[in-house]
Amino acid sequence: MNFRGKSSLLNGLLDEAAVLPTSGSRGCTAAVVELVYNSELLKEPDTTVAEKLPVVPAYKGTVEFITLDDWTKELKVLVEECSTQEKHIYSIPPIDDTSEAYAAWQKIEQVYGKGAMGAYCRQPTESVLHRLASNPRVQSLLSSSDPTREYNAILVDAGDVVPGSDEAKELLKPFNQMKGRTRNKKKKWATTFRQKINSYVYRKGNGDEPQTWPLIRKVTLEGPWHVLSTGAVLVDLPGVRDANAARAKVAEKYLQNCNQIAIVAPIKRAVDDGTAKELLGEQFKRRLLMDGQYSNVFFICTQTDDLEPTETMRDHSDVSDKLQEEEDLEGQVEEFKQQYQEAVADLTELREEAEDDEIDEDQLVNLKAVIATAKSSFKQSTRDLAKWTEDNTARIQHDQEECDALQKQLKPLCAIVRNEYSKQCLQEDFRSGLKDLYKKDDGDDEDGGDVDVNAALPEDFNMDVFGISANDYLKLMKIKPSRDGPPSCFSNAEDTQIPLLRAFVHTTTAKHCQDSVKTFVEQTNDLVEQMKLLCTDSNSDVSTGSARRMKQLHKSSVQSLTNQIKPIATQFKQVIDQKVSNSLASSLKTGARKGSQSAISTVVSWGSKSRRSKSERAPDKNGLYYSTYNAVARRDGVYTSKSAGAVDFNQELCDPMEKEFSTEWQSVLDSTIRRLLAESERKILDLSTSACQSFAQSLRINGVAADRLGNMLNTANRSATTALKTSFTQMRSIARDAQRELSRELLPAVQEKMKSSYTAVKSAQGGPGVFERMKGAMVSNSQRAVNEMFDSATDKLMRGIKALINRLERLLESTATIVGKSLGMSSRFVGMIILIRRP
């Protein structure tokens, strides 16, 4: 998510000062940025093929551009946005920076240089589009010279290191464990790398010359980053509502396939004006729910060093004692200061009274007494002030120093308290946001009680929340230069929670790697055991006929196992079919009905004079201005406006239907399938063990030695267990990926059906009343589309669900063959040994 502090957070995780641009940097690409560990540094060099040791770059970058076709499609819309109804470019550049024409004009000039559009004022739209699309520089950037690559890419690198060398290994250590010389080299290489990639990814100069960053599809950066050393890949997703469909598709694909999703927001926004449920947005939460990703979200609050202790004290009594102590000391200092000022004022007054010589003769006697008294008071006050100053100067200085020390202790303490408070709030809001998804339009949430909620989230689940101060961390670690000043809050790097977040990345990655490594080790061990079985001598004296009968015994065992597994697969299908029929199918049909019923009112609301804004949108406040309405229609229903924010007509039409079926979708196609696959796995593993034992018993009856059978049984059972677990892991992946793909079919289906409406809007006759004609065209064409739009989408979803269930049933039935292969492999080894040893 695009909040301030995200790039600083990533730099902190990478132990880099500024490999990624921070909020104070120049404008940069809105493309996906993928951060990867540079594993080439670990490879041992081949010293036999060259006299000189080969080197690899410490930092590598791949900048991938969109295709020329993608840009031409977007450019057509942009140029039309800058044109009159008579299809000529505006006579002067747009000056309203909130208008769609201004945004389009600016984007074209970003790509082609400042003043590029000004040179085409009043010229025909088609002619200008042709000239811009034929620009040699743009064509060169967006055309791949490699016929095997769809997208053109530019490579940049920095730093030469011999892979596998001591320097390479040193470079891959955490920053605080590197030698000083290696740290300096790394900083120098990182600076060079940033400078090289700047010209492509970030704004050049003052922005007047042609820029490349608006044309970028994806950026991949590889470096010696210890946080990624366990295999993690960090992906910075700017959003999925990009005006360029190619970039939006890339971001959506990453979101669909990622293992963990981090929501990043400044801590003040996360707590003060947004709960976790508001920051995520309802549509995004539904997507997480249907993807089975709700428990894979964690939250990162940035800029935790940005606080005032007194503000924190208002909300947190935990620190009130410390703060009160500081305020008492400050009060004492102020009191002493006031006493001093009053004493000085008294002395001044006494001097004035003592030095006043304009006195009447009649008052002389009385005045002498007054002067004598004043002089006495003056002298006494002077002595008192001198003594008070002597007695209290050290105390004042001590109190002030103690105040300063307490202030230094108090600020990080307040930050830590606020972090914990924010964590609790966000965790509560996150679970509350999930419960909100189970509420239907009529407010009836009885069907979505704790049982359903706990299906999406374990009962003991608490979302991980981190309060990060990347800026203070980089300063404490001396990664940032001293000219940036001292840390503003923390004095201990651990309190910035960057080390804690880095440990979370390593732990999470290790969990995902563990199963793969375990499977690999088990498969390797099975192979070794099978080879040992082949190589071990056997003194068994079994006839050749008995050995041949092993094949028939094996065939019978597999058939018996198949007959036992088939009912498990059948039951799996029956339960899922029943769940689909009883809940999901009815929810889809109800959702389709609600979608159809509300579609036209939604379409009409887009043209309402009661307009939406970035911060407010409601059914009765959903209208758009003419220029925004037109811009959305030109882009097939998807556009981000400065005044109205992100607009997606297609998603707004989908919302009533998705809201109706999303919870049942997660319950049936995520939770139920996972549960039933787990139950089936346990049953089939038990059957596999029994089949191995039964097969061994049959072999013993046919004369195979008991010791040989023991080895074979153990080997076959381990091999079958490993293969079955791998197969079920694949089934879970297939089910997860298939249902995620299916759940995403509604939106493009609606968009496809609405394209005729968008085309009709764009084709509306210009002149006075054009906006009314555009709205009329949208409504009339949409009425024809919605009659079948949701029903056809429902039918397509049901066909996809049925195909998935049938596929899983076939995969369950095929597990008998998997076990049979393990039995066959072991029995063949025994048979081969018997035949070889036969005299």
Side-chain angles (χ1 to χ4, degrees), residues 639-659:
Y639 179 65
T640 299
S641 162
K642 276 194 172 183
S643 59
V647 181
D648 190 337
F649 284 172
N650 311 302
Q651 185 60 58
E652 289 175 31
L653 292 171
C654 291
D655 281 343
M657 182 173 178
E658 283 192 347
K659 186 174 183 180

Side-chain angles (χ1 to χ4, degrees), residues 580 584 588 665 669 742 797-805:
V580 170
L584 182 54
L588 284 169
W665 185 282
L669 297 184
L742 280 171
L797 288 174
M798 288 302 298
R799 289 195 299 272
I801 292 169
K802 183 177 180 180
L804 171 61
I805 294 172

Side-chain angles (χ1 to χ4, degrees), residues 730-759:
Q730 292 171 347
M731 287 186 221
R732 282 186 281 269
S733 296
I734 288 169
R736 179 198 64 208
D737 295 344
Q739 71 93 356
R740 288 181 184 179
E741 288 285 351
L742 280 171
S743 70
R744 284 166 168 78
E745 289 189 358
L746 176 61
L747 182 60
V750 168
Q751 185 178 43
E752 185 62 32
K753 292 289 185 181
M754 286 296 294
K755 280 186 178 180
S756 61
S757 300
Y758 302 141
T759 301

Side-chain angles (χ1 to χ4, degrees), residues 391-534:
D391 292 344
N392 292 280
T393 296
R395 183 180 174 188
I396 292 173
Q397 184 177 356
H398 175 269
D399 287 347
Q400 189 61 57
E401 290 174 352
E402 193 168 344
C403 280
D404 294 340
L406 284 171
Q407 175 73 14
K408 289 180 180 179
Q409 296 175 24
L410 186 63
K411 192 171 183 180
L413 175 63
C414 288
I416 293 170
V417 169
R418 185 178 65 176
N419 285 352
E420 188 59 32
Y421 169 77
S422 303
K423 179 178 179 178
Q424 294 172 4
C425 288
L426 289 169
Q427 288 173 337
E428 292 171 4
D429 289 338
F430 188 71
R431 187 174 283 276
S432 173
L434 175 61
K435 291 181 179 179
D436 288 346
L437 293 178
Y438 285 79
K439 296 178 181 178
K440 307 302 181 185
D441 289 332
D442 56 5
D444 181 10
D445 62 341
E446 291 181 2
D447 293 336
D450 291 338
V451 175
D452 286 333
V453 172
N454 289 334
L457 282 180
E459 193 170 351
D460 60 348
F461 174 82
N462 267 325
M463 177 179 65
D464 289 296
V465 179
F466 301 90
I468 300 296
S469 173
N471 198 44
D472 274 9
Y473 171 81
L474 292 170
K475 290 178 177 180
L476 287 167
M477 299 301 294
K478 302 190 184 306
I479 296 172
K480 275 197 167 186
S482 57
R483 62 177 175 272
D484 287 348
S488 62
C489 178
F490 297 103
S491 58
N492 184 352
E494 295 294 327
D495 291 336
T496 67
Q497 291 200 17
I498 285 286
L500 184 65
L501 178 56
R502 192 177 286 140
F504 172 81
V505 172
H506 286 308
T507 303
T508 304
T509 307
K511 288 178 182 177
H512 288 287
C513 292
Q514 185 175 359
D515 290 340
S516 297
V517 172
K518 183 179 180 182
T519 299
F520 174 77
V521 171
E522 289 175 344
Q523 289 174 340
T524 304
N525 181 64
D526 293 341
L527 179 60
V528 171
E529 290 298 322
Q530 288 168 351
M531 296 305 295
K532 284 170 62 179
L533 191 61
L534 177 62

Side-chain angles (χ1 to χ4, degrees), residues 1-25 33 35 194 225 227-228 234-237 260-267 298-305 419 464-475 477 479-480 493 495-505:
M1 302 183 75
N2 272 328
F3 295 127
R4 287 174 58 237
K6 182 174 61 174
S7 294
S8 294
L9 161 69
L10 291 173
N11 283 326
L13 279 174
L14 300 177
D15 276 336
E16 297 284 2
V19 163
L20 293 172
T22 57
S23 57
S25 302
V33 178
L35 302 169
R194 171 70 184 272
W225 300 315
V227 67
L228 307 180
L234 298 179
V235 181
D236 180 3
L237 292 180
Q260 293 282 327
I261 300 172
I263 308 299
V264 182
I267 192 165
F298 64 101
F299 213 102
I300 301 176
C301 300
T302 60
Q303 301 174 344
T304 58
D305 54 291
N419 285 352
D464 289 296
V465 179
F466 301 90
I468 300 296
S469 173
N471 198 44
D472 274 9
Y473 171 81
L474 292 170
K475 290 178 177 180
M477 299 301 294
I479 296 172
K480 275 197 167 186
D495 291 336
T496 67
Q497 291 200 17
I498 285 286
L500 184 65
L501 178 56
R502 192 177 286 140
F504 172 81
V505 172

Side-chain angles (χ1 to χ4, degrees), residues 347-363:
L347 287 175
T348 301
E349 185 178 351
L350 287 172
R351 286 195 185 97
E352 291 174 352
E353 291 178 359
E355 294 174 358
D356 190 355
D357 55 0
E358 297 180 4
I359 305 174
D360 292 340
E361 292 293 332
D362 296 338
Q363 296 177 335

